[in-house]
Amino acid sequence: MRSLKDLEFWFVTGSQPLYGDDAIASCVAHADDMIKKMNGFGTLPCAVVNKGVVTCTEEITKIMKEVNYSDKCAGVIIFAHTFSPSKMWIKGLVDLNKPLLHLHTQYNRDIPYATMDMDFMNLNQSAHGDRETGFMATRLRMNRKIVVGHWEDPRVAEKIGGWMRSAAGIILGKELKICRFGDNMRFVGVTEGDKVETEIKLGWECNTYPVGGLVKGINAVTDAEVEEKLAEYTSKYDLNTDNLDSVKYQAKCEIAMEKFFKKNDFNAFTNTFQDLYGMEQLPGIATQNLMSKGIGYGGEGDWKIAALDTIMKKMAEGMPGGTAFMEDYTYHLEQGNEMIMGAHMLEVDPCVAATKPKIEVHELSIGDKGAPARLVFNGKGGKGITCCLVDMGGRLRLICADVEAVEPKVEMPKLPVARCLWRPLPDLLTSAEAWILAGGAHHTVLSFDLTAEHMRDYAEMAGIEFVHIHKDINITDFKRDLMLADIAYQIKGIK
Ligand code: MN
């Protein structure tokens, strides 16, 4: 599976022959200057590649076919510098099967009132010419991102950069393979889902592999490999246990999984404490250390969240905050200070740690296996989102809630797992009511890097439903919106 740095976005500038060669030469020069400078901003996560000025149906159709065909190209940015008649765009846009961004900008930032003439007007006419181009995407009911503003405005670059991350999530999703060890936890509903529909919409490939095969791999790990893994653990984490045998068993689990994942190009996985036949422990630090390297995980067989974890990690590549598999675990319901504590029985991703994780060994109260080594730490504070993906029967719904995490400042000497604390917006009572109305899961992906806008763009490009729980939410409106979405998705033709 590739990453963000392997992708590029193509920039196509629209015009028409009506203005003569001099005007087209100006379009070319302006596009060159814009793209060179945009790449120099240092804020875009991927390169923008200049694909020149297009002036007729044939050129537009040809470039869109090349967009589709190029593995490196993750999407196309269009901008009509001058009036670009939108019927020229029909065939190209109909063929396009990659993310589309319409940059509604203008080469000149300001109106030069004292000097302007009609030549200036004709070379700075995207205010009307680019609306004509935009019409066709709307007429075709295309999902696309529209970014408005001067191309040197940092807010514009931020929007384009954010969209690039979402588009990368779409493109890289088609390369994502999820390895399931065992089914999902018995009787659990929200972790179920239609794997065929998910592969159609999101590209995620999800298949099961026997735990027995993994056990074979664990037993084949050499002492030298275990020592190397222990050195890795102690270089990253503080050892806070005398039970080295447990840590070594976890090292074996990680090594066996890492080899298997590399061999088969898996970038997400699930397991379940109900299907560990032949294993001595549920993987704890083994899973946590894999997650810290970008492998997505879902507990209790939750393959949808494992995949979303990987995709969101990819989308957030190079950002400083952290993106992690999480579970809403327990509540603090003090009036006016309500908070959620997120944790899991073992598998909390150290990429959201505020304190250096400690390696500890404790008994696990479920699963009837040996005491697993795990990383214990406090989660960091900051603005973030929690996301989950649920199968509504016939469609997928991505739910995103805005949260503000706080670093726990109290001692929890008896809690043997990593933990995070956060306040959902506008408050826990409203957010949790909305989350439950929307059918949101207990497993989520918590991200300090991505925002609801990233996730909305991602969902729109994928053609799945998006539900956002935010500071201005009103439960009455929210219920109506859920009802309208249900009706809309039942109407034939809305996909
Ligand atoms: Mn769980």
Side-chain angles (χ1 to χ4, degrees):
M1 189 176 181
R2 295 177 298 167
S3 61
L4 229 59
K5 65 181 185 314
D6 301 313
L7 304 174
E8 62 190 28
F9 289 83
W10 291 7
F11 194 105
V12 178
T13 306
S15 187
Q16 62 170 314
L18 188 70
Y19 306 105
D21 292 344
D22 287 353
I24 298 297
S26 293
C27 290
V28 170
H30 288 170
D32 283 348
D33 187 43
M34 287 167 67
I35 293 160
K36 201 186 284 172
K37 284 181 179 156
M38 283 167 71
N39 280 320
F41 290 157
T43 48
L44 300 180
C46 303
V48 180
V49 177
N50 188 359
K51 288 291 166 178
V53 176
V54 289
T55 57
C56 63
T57 305
E58 290 72 21
E59 286 174 357
I60 294 168
T61 309
K62 182 170 179 284
I63 195 77
M64 293 305 173
K65 282 180 179 167
E66 287 170 7
V67 166
N68 290 343
Y69 187 74
S70 165
D71 273 341
K72 223 170 153 42
C73 176
V76 60
I77 300 169
I78 61 171
F79 157 56
H81 178 284
T82 40
F83 199 94
S84 184
S86 68
K87 283 157 78 176
M88 290 180 184
W89 290 82
I90 293 176
K91 294 183 184 70
L93 291 180
V94 166
D95 281 351
L96 180 68
N97 65 16
K98 288 210 176 143
L100 172 66
L101 183 143
H102 185 180
L103 177 58
H104 187 52
T105 189
Q106 175 175 287
Y107 181 71
N108 265 60
R109 194 190 70 174
D110 300 342
I111 296 176
Y113 298 106
T115 58
M116 66 194 302
D117 55 15
M118 273 323 281
D119 284 345
F120 176 87
M121 293 285 270
N122 284 335
L123 285 175
N124 288 278
Q125 54 164 262
S126 52
H128 65 279
D130 201 35
R131 293 184 189 218
E132 161 68 5
T133 310
F135 159 74
M136 195 49 71
T138 295
R139 171 67 179 79
L140 292 167
R141 272 69 171 173
M142 292 181 76
N143 285 318
R144 82 282 197 197
K145 178 84 172 173
I146 299 165
V147 177
V148 182
H150 192 251
W151 53 279
E152 286 181 301
D153 184 334
R155 295 171 302 177
V156 168
E158 197 186 326
K159 290 254 180 202
I160 296 171
W163 168 80
M164 283 177 167
R165 292 181 180 279
S166 307
I170 295 292
I171 298 300
L172 297 175
K174 296 173 201 289
E175 301 172 20
L176 175 57
K177 295 177 184 171
I178 308 149
C179 171
R180 304 180 80 198
F181 293 120
D183 203 341
N184 64 327
M185 185 178 163
R186 285 191 281 274
F187 303 111
V188 177
V190 77
T191 57
E192 291 281 2
D194 182 341
K195 296 196 274 300
V196 172
E197 175 72 6
T198 308
E199 186 164 343
I200 292 168
K201 288 285 190 231
L202 305 171
W204 304 347
E205 206 178 292
C206 182
N207 288 296
T208 187
Y209 293 85
V211 179
L214 176 60
V215 171
K216 229 171 142 182
I218 292 169
N219 293 337
V221 173
T222 66
D223 290 347
E225 288 173 315
V226 169
E227 288 307 318
E228 201 182 321
K229 184 59 73 182
L230 282 185
E232 182 190 331
Y233 286 168
T234 49
S235 73
K236 293 160 81 175
Y237 315 119
D238 287 337
L239 190 64
N240 194 32
T241 178
D242 295 327
N243 187 348
L244 270 188
D245 285 345
S246 174
V247 186
K248 284 180 179 174
Y249 186 75
Q250 290 286 327
K252 283 184 180 181
C253 292
E254 184 184 342
I255 293 160
M257 286 193 282
E258 209 168 21
K259 282 183 191 170
F260 188 59
F261 297 166
K262 270 193 183 138
K263 188 177 162 201
N264 295 285
D265 199 20
F266 293 134
N267 276 274
F269 78 106
T270 69
N271 55 20
T272 167
F273 66 93
Q274 288 175 332
D275 191 352
L276 296 173
Y277 189 81
M279 290 180 74
E280 293 173 19
Q281 301 172 10
L282 176 67
I285 184 175
T287 298
Q288 291 174 293
N289 202 45
L290 284 169
M291 288 193 277
S292 76
K293 297 172 187 174
I295 302 287
Y297 174 75
E300 297 89 50
D302 192 344
W303 54 274
K304 298 196 301 300
I305 211 71
L308 190 64
D309 190 17
T310 302
I311 291 299
M312 289 175 67
K313 281 172 176 287
K314 290 278 180 192
M315 285 166 62
E317 193 182 294
M319 298 175 93
T323 296
F325 165 67
M326 191 52 64
E327 177 167 315
D328 296 84
Y329 217 104
T330 195
Y331 286 143
H332 183 73
L333 291 175
E334 176 194 357
Q335 198 178 336
N337 187 30
E338 290 92 348
M339 285 186 286
I340 297 175
M341 177 172 283
H344 208 258
M345 65 174 111
L346 295 176
E347 310 92 338
V348 185
D349 189 332
C351 77
V352 292
T355 54
K356 192 172 180 189
K358 290 180 183 153
I359 304 171
E360 297 188 9
V361 177
H362 303 275
E363 291 292 336
L364 198 61
S365 53
I366 50 176
D368 201 23
K369 292 282 175 183
R374 81 287 304 271
L375 297 171
V376 179
F377 56 87
N378 285 342
K380 62 166 77 168
K383 284 188 175 171
I385 52 170
T386 56
C387 293
C388 75
L389 185 70
V390 294
D391 188 327
M392 293 297 293
R395 74 176 189 275
L396 294 164
R397 171 180 282 169
L398 181 64
I399 305 166
C400 173
D402 293 340
V403 303
E404 279 177 12
V406 285
E407 188 183 333
K409 293 292 181 194
V410 288
E411 293 296 318
M412 291 170 259
K414 292 191 170 177
L415 186 66
V417 292
R419 71 295 293 222
C420 296
L421 268 180
W422 65 83
R423 291 188 178 88
L425 300 181
D427 53 72
L428 189 152
L429 277 59
T430 310
S431 177
E433 183 180 352
W435 187 271
I436 290 169
L437 279 168
H442 54 288
H443 287 160
T444 62
V445 178
L446 167 69
S447 179
F448 289 99
D449 294 315
L450 301 175
T451 64
E453 187 170 354
H454 290 111
M455 302 315 295
R456 180 186 295 279
D457 287 348
Y458 172 81
E460 286 181 358
M461 283 183 235
I464 64 172
E465 186 185 357
F466 181 74
V467 171
H468 183 203
I469 301 167
H470 51 84
K471 70 176 173 50
D472 298 320
I473 193 171
N474 170 301
I475 291 291
T476 308
D477 293 348
F478 187 75
K479 280 183 177 174
R480 182 203 56 213
D481 291 346
L482 290 179
M483 180 192 70
L484 291 174
D486 256 340
I487 294 167
Y489 276 90
Q490 282 167 27
I491 297 171
K492 200 178 171 190
I494 294 183
K495 302 187 277 185

